[in-house]
Amino acid sequence: MEPIKEKLKRWASAARDWLAGLGFRTGLWVGAACVVFYVLSFAQMALPISVALKGTLWVILFGLAKATQYTALLILGKEGVRRLRGLWKTKMDAE
């Protein structure tokens, strides 16, 4: 029987390969979701709800923001990040 550690390594490698196979636009959409989760994680502090609920919402939303951030980076990869920086630089130079 295969050890659990080896199964987890194989599963993580397969998930990473699948995410890396997704397209540039998908990475941008996941990155946009990341920004939305970051904004929501801090904007919810202004709601008139209990401190415990605010803390719970913050943990959930901030965790989703971090998860989508790293997922977007896995999808985009090194070349996608370079391409995104190039697009950003071109836009800034045009202004």
Side-chain angles (χ1 to χ4, degrees), residues 3-17:
I4 292 176
K5 187 175 181 180
E6 293 300 319
K7 285 183 181 180
L8 287 175
K9 282 184 180 180
R10 195 175 63 230
W11 179 83
S13 177
R16 185 175 54 243
D17 292 343

Side-chain angles (χ1 to χ4, degrees), residues 15-77:
R16 185 175 54 243
D17 292 343
W18 178 74
L19 285 171
L22 296 174
F24 181 75
R25 289 181 70 171
T26 304
L28 292 180
W29 278 105
V30 175
C34 169
V35 171
V36 169
F37 285 130
Y38 271 120
V39 168
L40 289 175
S41 71
F42 290 101
Q44 59 85 25
M45 294 294 181
L47 294 175
I49 54 179
S50 71
V51 174
L53 185 55
K54 285 181 183 183
T56 303
L57 281 173
W58 185 83
V59 167
I60 291 169
L61 292 169
F62 195 77
L64 285 170
K66 280 299 187 186
T68 53
Q69 175 186 353
Y70 292 124
T71 302
L73 288 174
L74 278 172
I75 293 171
L76 291 173

